Amino acid sequence: EPEVTQTPSHQVTQMGQEVILRCVPISNHLYFYWYRQILGQKVEFLVSFYNNEISEKSEIFDDQFSVERPDGSNFTLKIRSTKLEDSAMYFCASRGQIGTGELFFGEGSRLTVL
Amino acid sequence: GESVGLHLPTLSVQEGDNSIINCAYSNSASDYFIWYKQESGKGPQFIIDIRSNMDKRQGQRVTVLLNKTVKHLSLQIAATQPGDSAVYFCADNAGGTSYGKLTFGQGTILTVHP
C-alpha cells in the first residue's frame, strides 16, 4: 500500500538553527500539506501546496517557514531559525483526489528545540 | 476563533460493544466533516467523511451522523475491537472551500478492553 514517508523521525536542534523536514508524498498525489501537533494539543494546519506553489497557509506559517518541492518526489518544510515553541510533531500529508478530505499522513517528524 | 471540539476526552469500552464518539463544531459555514484515527506513534488515518447535505453515512463498522441544527457530529463504531483503541479526531473544513485545510478537534481517547 502506498504511503507517505517522512525523515527524520526525530530531530533535536538548538534554538536559532535551521531545520529541514523531508517528506515523500504518495507518487500520484497532487496536493501536499504540512500539519503540526504540539504535545497534547490539536493537530494544526500549517500550509497546503499545489502546482508548485502555496495554496493556503495558516497564521502559524510565518516568514520563518518555507516549503519546497525540489524534485518530483520530495516535499520539504524548512524552519529558518527555530524557536522553543516550534517543538512539535510535524506531519506531512498528501491528497490525490479532488473533492475529498482524505489526506494520507506520514508518521511524523518530531522536532525538539532546546 | 472558530473551532471544532469534543465533548468527552476519554471513552473506555469492552470488546464487542458499540462505541459512540461525539464532536461539537462551532463554524456554521463548515460543510465538510471528517473523522480521523491516530494510533500511538503514527499519523492520523482517515476513517470516514460526510458532507453537509447528508445526515448519515456508513462505512465498514463505522457510521457518522451529522446534526447541523445543533452542530453536532458523532462517530459510531460497531463491535469495537482492541485494534480500535486510538485517539479519534473530528475535523472540518472551517467553512472554507479547500478539502485539505482542516480544523481538527482535540481528540477522544478510545480504549477497548478485551
Side-chain angles (χ1 to χ4, degrees):
Chain A
E1 184 177 318
E3 59 180 16
V4 175
T5 57
Q6 292 185 240
T7 55
S9 57
H10 188 193
Q11 181 153 358
V12 181
T13 190
Q14 294 291 322
M15 190 169 55
Q17 295 297 304
E18 177 182 283
V19 161
I20 297 176
L21 305 179
R22 292 182 166 79
C23 170
V24 179
I26 294 173
S27 62
N28 61 347
H29 284 188
L30 300 177
Y31 304 88
F32 312 111
Y33 306 88
W34 284 100
Y35 281 77
R36 80 171 185 189
Q37 186 177 29
I38 295 172
L39 187 63
Q41 298 188 24
K42 301 177 185 181
V43 177
E44 301 174 290
F45 170 83
L46 291 179
V47 65
S48 60
F49 192 87
Y50 171 72
N51 200 25
N52 280 322
E53 60 183 23
I54 291 174
S55 308
E56 291 183 276
K57 57 184 180 179
S58 70
E59 294 172 354
I60 303 167
F61 195 89
D62 61 22
D63 292 344
Q64 292 300 311
F65 290 86
S66 62
V67 290
E68 193 176 36
R69 187 158 162 80
D71 52 43
S73 60
N74 292 286
F75 180 50
T76 62
L77 174 69
K78 181 193 290 186
I79 309 174
R80 254 179 282 282
S81 177
T82 50
K83 304 185 287 287
L84 295 176
E85 54 265 38
D86 293 329
S87 294
M89 182 72 89
Y90 288 81
F91 291 105
C92 174
S94 67
R95 177 167 69 98
Q97 296 182 46
I98 298 171
T100 172
E102 184 174 0
L103 305 186
F104 290 79
F105 283 85
E107 295 200 339
S109 292
R110 179 167 296 285
L111 176 64
T112 302
V113 182
L114 302 176
Chain B
E2 300 290 347
S3 65
V4 177
L6 297 176
H7 291 307
L8 300 174
T10 62
L11 178 64
S12 185
V13 300
Q14 290 296 126
E15 182 178 2
D17 287 351
N18 296 331
S19 302
I20 300 176
I21 301 171
N22 296 300
C23 176
Y25 64 95
S26 57
N27 191 333
S28 56
S30 295
D31 59 6
Y32 179 70
F33 306 88
I34 310 171
W35 283 98
Y36 277 88
K37 168 187 180 182
Q38 186 176 26
E39 297 174 2
S40 181
K42 295 188 176 182
Q45 180 184 5
F46 175 89
I47 301 173
I48 192 168
D49 60 359
I50 187 168
R51 288 175 172 75
S52 59
N53 61 352
M54 302 171 69
D55 52 21
K56 179 179 180 179
R57 191 164 187 228
Q58 288 186 288
Q60 188 176 16
R61 281 201 306 119
V62 294
T63 301
V64 55
L65 299 177
L66 175 63
N67 185 331
K68 295 180 289 293
T69 303
V70 296
K71 296 180 193 167
H72 186 267
L73 190 67
S74 68
L75 177 70
Q76 300 178 359
I77 305 173
T80 318
Q81 302 166 0
D84 295 327
S85 294
V87 180
Y88 288 79
F89 295 94
C90 62
D92 74 5
N93 66 345
T97 56
S98 166
Y99 284 97
K101 182 184 177 184
L102 302 174
T103 298
F104 281 77
Q106 284 200 321
T108 293
I109 301 171
L110 174 65
T111 302
V112 182
H113 300 283

